[in-house]
Amino acid sequence: MPGSARGAGGPAATAWALPLAVLLATLAAGFAFGLWATAWWALLAIGFVCVVLLAQELESRLALRWRGPFQRGLALGFPLSLLLIWELLAGAGILNPRWFPPPSQIAVALWELTVTFDRFNRSSLIGRPWLVPQVVSEQGWAGVQELVRESHVWATLSRVLGGFLIGALPGVLIGMVMGLNRTVRMMLDATMSAIYVLPKIAIFPILMLVFPNPFGEGPKIAVVAISAFFLVAISTMAGVQGIDKVYLEAGRNFGASRWQMFRHVILPGALPIVFSGLRLALGTALIVIVAVEFVRADRGVGFLIYYYWQVLVTPRMYAALVVVMALGVGLTALLQWVERRVMPWRRN
Amino acid sequence: MSAKIVARSAEKRFQTRAGWMTALRDFDLEVAEGEFLCLVGPSGCGKSTFLRILAGLDHATGGEVRIDPGPDPRQPLANVVFQEYAVFPWKTVLHNVAFGLEMRGVGRREREATAHRWIDKVALTRFVDYYPAQLSGGMKQRVSIARALANDPQVLLMDEPLGALDAQTRAVLQEELLQLWEESRKTVLYVTHSIDEAVFLGDRVVVMTAHPGTVKTVIDVDLPRPRDLSVMATPEFAALTGAVWDALRDEVRRAMAEQA
């Protein structure tokens, strides 16, 4: 801080030195007395506090225009250093690499999963898109379909998106009707709330009985759809009921008809809460589909996780976890994009 | 001049948890065509209730409240400028101002032309495509005023429209409002807490009693028009606000005693 009265010695020096000293002492004590095995949680807590203090001290010494980049650097640097520590600990054998393989191994496993074709299971991670030109010339469209069918990512994605859409659209409709009509609300609310709390994965066995092909896509998509439906319906109802009365009165005073009221006041007024319901439903859809694929599937990222757990190829299991994370991030970004499109007034 | 708004022994009763509440009783009032009438009274005296009945948002439980319909049946009776703006956050300034016209089925080009004209008049030209969240409180209330006026109602109802604004913004908007009104000379019913505002804007100031609300006194404001804020410095203005306050003081005390 140029121009400030702060000197080089005194409190400024302690602000640096004290947390640094504590941090080093903690690490040293951890190794010297074998505390890592028992009191690792205390060592981690002390270490974390020291790192935070150091980062704050460092930031206060930066020129104002560097503080923004510094904070973004923290957001990126923290997870990267965690990965680095993981890598080092696993490499040194402190973390058992069989259960916690180093990130570098996971990256390699992810690459292998992507490029290899599992002959036994006749599947691949993303369907080997580089084969498309060759397959089209040899077998035409049917060959491409074959490639799509072998893809684990596509299997999971189609179940999540299909189930989400099939559940969310009627969810919005029923939720709107429940929000608008007291009679319908009274009839359905108690029932919906009761089913809402039931973990939908619990009805998966019933769905397998109901569908003609219990091992097909039907029950899997249905269980995702049902999970999404109740979440979306209940939050849509809350969104409609939560619209500030003054907007309804303004609509009435300016002579809006029933349809105009819905189109110009109720629908846009409820949208923010509808979308928070959709976000929740999307997250739940991903949880449900992974759980279903653990149990009953020969395709899908959930299947991969469970399969590589069973055969104890943990790097590939972690690689599949990374794919699930990427799917979640991608789908959420997609929904946010739609949200910005549909509600331009909430952009800033 | 003929009476545009007529209330005869109007009564409004609400059912609340504590039993029946009478908001208005024996409420008699006539507002002439083209008159700017201000309604003041202690909080909870039923002045907003009367306005809501005129707006068609509530019904009188007794007596008569009506707006004399004009010669053109398509012209809307009464539009409201609400207390907390009530401009739709999901519509741009343009679509907010064109809202009433859109509800009445006016074609896109015509309603947007009308909206643009009113947006110019309230000095928001630069902000046509802004959303309310991007505007200050004073600008939002300008949008709300333009929305009501663009719909060209026979009566303009204003429910403490400037109450939430800071003193300076409020003074500026009072002046702007008077200029707009001078152009059209619409019948206005203006509910307010502020005695200065009532005297500055109105042709008459109606003082209401604490609840149940009835008309206590009517004070004629014979200050020359067009007015600007300098009128507030004249002895006539002081005398009028003094008269309103004399009528109001006991009612405010009574209302406060009842609430305590």
Side-chain angles (χ1 to χ4, degrees):
Chain A
M1 247 188 262
S4 85
R6 212 158 151 193
T14 0
W16 264 111
L18 189 64
L20 195 61
V22 173
L23 182 64
L24 293 175
T26 310
L27 286 174
F31 288 114
F33 305 111
L35 289 177
W36 280 112
T38 50
W40 54 271
W41 45 273
L43 297 179
L44 279 186
I46 296 170
F48 184 72
V49 171
C50 292
V51 170
V52 169
L53 288 174
L54 283 173
Q56 280 173 349
E57 182 56 28
L58 184 60
E59 188 183 340
S60 75
R61 281 159 193 259
L62 287 173
L64 217 48
R65 69 193 172 93
W66 287 111
R67 291 191 188 175
F70 179 77
Q71 284 176 349
R72 281 191 292 279
L74 281 183
L76 202 65
F78 183 72
L80 282 181
S81 21
L82 277 190
L83 286 179
L84 186 68
I85 293 171
W86 182 359
E87 180 79 39
L88 293 175
L89 291 182
I94 298 171
L95 278 176
N96 185 340
R98 187 177 296 176
W99 314 125
F100 303 102
S104 58
Q105 262 189 47
I106 297 172
V108 171
L110 185 59
W111 172 252
E112 285 170 4
L113 266 185
T114 309
V115 295
T116 51
F117 175 68
D118 183 334
R119 271 164 226 288
F120 173 69
N121 191 261
R122 302 198 58 75
S123 66
S124 67
L125 185 62
I126 57 171
R128 297 180 294 170
W130 53 90
L131 291 183
V132 167
Q134 183 195 337
V135 154
V136 168
S137 62
E138 283 170 15
Q139 305 160 47
W141 186 234
V144 179
Q145 281 179 311
E146 194 66 32
L147 285 181
V148 167
R149 258 200 298 276
E150 74 176 44
S151 159
H152 291 292
V153 166
W154 170 254
T156 300
L157 202 58
S158 61
R159 288 164 190 157
V160 168
L161 277 181
F164 179 72
L165 289 178
I166 292 171
L169 292 178
V172 170
L173 275 176
I174 303 275
M176 286 274 167
V177 175
M178 284 175 73
L180 293 171
N181 187 303
R182 221 170 68 93
T183 314
V184 177
R185 185 162 65 246
M186 288 300 137
M187 279 167 63
L188 296 184
D189 198 13
T191 319
M192 298 272 280
S193 309
I195 303 176
Y196 170 78
V197 295
L198 182 79
K200 287 345 153 272
I201 189 80
I203 58 170
F204 185 64
I206 305 173
L207 290 170
M208 286 178 64
L209 294 177
V210 169
F211 278 83
N213 177 6
F215 308 111
E217 293 298 293
K220 300 184 183 75
I221 292 176
V223 73
V224 172
I226 291 169
S227 311
F229 172 80
F230 287 96
L231 273 169
V232 173
I234 284 182
S235 56
T236 302
M237 178 184 79
V240 171
Q241 290 191 282
I243 297 172
D244 195 334
K245 238 180 70 187
V246 80
Y247 299 125
L248 302 176
E249 293 191 335
R252 251 169 81 197
N253 180 248
F254 283 92
S257 65
R258 268 165 170 267
W259 164 248
Q260 285 172 325
M261 199 70 152
F262 178 76
R263 161 78 186 72
H264 291 276
V265 183
I266 291 163
L267 186 63
L271 272 182
I273 311 284
V274 171
F275 265 95
S276 72
L278 289 175
R279 273 198 300 275
L280 276 178
L282 192 62
T284 309
L286 210 59
I287 295 172
V288 167
I289 201 57
V290 168
V292 166
E293 287 172 351
F294 274 5
V295 184
R296 185 59 67 205
D298 59 356
R299 289 285 183 285
V301 188
F303 161 78
L304 276 185
I305 297 171
Y306 206 74
Y307 175 76
Y308 286 115
W309 174 76
Q310 283 178 316
V311 297
L312 264 178
V313 186
T314 40
R316 290 197 171 187
M317 189 185 94
Y318 277 91
L321 287 174
V322 172
V323 174
V324 176
M325 282 166 69
L327 278 178
V329 170
L331 288 171
T332 308
L334 184 69
L335 190 66
Q336 278 171 345
W337 179 80
V338 173
E339 196 173 333
R340 281 197 300 275
R341 279 281 153 129
V342 177
M343 298 191 290
W345 66 91
R346 283 169 68 95
R347 222 172 267 176
N348 45 335
Chain B
M1 265 192 279
S2 62
K4 186 69 186 169
I5 300 173
V6 179
R8 283 209 185 88
S9 359
E11 184 204 69
K12 175 69 191 179
R13 305 206 309 153
F14 289 103
Q15 197 172 15
T16 64
R17 230 167 261 177
W20 285 91
M21 275 264 306
T22 310
L24 288 175
R25 182 189 290 163
D26 292 328
F27 187 81
D28 291 296
L29 184 68
E30 284 194 5
V31 185
E33 174 91 56
E35 184 179 7
F36 200 125
L37 185 109
C38 293
L39 210 52
V40 296
S43 354
C45 75
K47 48 192 195 300
S48 291
T49 308
F50 179 60
L51 183 138
R52 290 172 53 83
I53 294 172
L54 285 172
L57 298 172
D58 228 326
H59 296 283
T61 45
E64 184 190 14
V65 176
R66 66 181 172 86
I67 298 172
D68 183 40
D72 182 357
R74 281 168 308 174
Q75 194 186 3
L77 275 185
N79 285 129
V80 186
V81 179
F82 290 88
Q83 195 169 358
E84 45 307 69
Y85 322 136
V87 291
F88 302 116
W90 47 85
K91 285 179 181 288
T92 60
V93 169
L94 179 67
H95 292 124
N96 261 297
V97 175
F99 180 71
L101 298 166
E102 189 174 0
M103 295 306 103
R104 283 159 58 197
V106 175
R108 185 192 196 95
R109 191 170 300 172
E110 192 188 332
R111 68 173 187 253
E112 289 190 354
T114 310
H116 273 293
R117 211 165 51 241
W118 281 102
I119 290 166
D120 291 345
K121 282 193 196 192
V122 294
L124 288 177
T125 315
R126 229 158 48 74
F127 303 96
V128 205
D129 294 319
Y130 280 49
Y131 287 100
Q134 299 164 290
L135 305 177
S136 67
M139 288 154 98
K140 279 186 227 176
Q141 199 51 295
R142 284 200 186 99
V143 175
S144 183
I145 292 169
R147 178 175 67 179
L149 286 172
N151 204 31
D152 190 26
Q154 302 180 29
V155 173
L156 185 63
L157 303 172
M158 304 187 85
D159 187 5
E160 294 182 40
L162 310 181
L165 303 176
D166 64 90
Q168 285 95 357
T169 314
R170 194 171 175 150
V172 170
L173 276 177
Q174 284 168 355
E175 253 186 350
E176 287 181 11
L177 184 62
L178 271 192
Q179 281 164 18
L180 288 174
W181 179 75
E182 293 286 351
E183 290 174 24
S184 65
R185 292 266 175 173
K186 254 180 212 312
T187 314
V188 178
L189 185 90
Y190 193 103
V191 168
T192 177
H193 264 120
S194 157
I195 297 172
D196 283 359
E197 185 168 275
V199 173
F200 175 62
L201 295 172
D203 293 320
R204 285 192 296 158
V205 176
V206 172
V207 179
M208 287 179 70
T209 59
H211 98 271
T214 55
V215 174
K216 178 163 191 186
T217 340
V218 180
I219 289 156
D220 288 302
V221 180
D222 44 11
L223 300 168
R225 289 192 191 270
R227 298 174 194 161
D228 58 46
L229 287 171
S230 66
V231 81
M232 288 191 172
T234 62
E236 291 83 0
F237 186 85
L240 285 163
T241 51
V244 175
W245 179 233
D246 281 339
L248 198 55
R249 187 177 335 163
D250 295 340
E251 298 308 324
V252 174
R253 290 233 167 89
R254 210 152 64 79
M256 286 170 72
E258 276 177 33
Q259 276 161 14

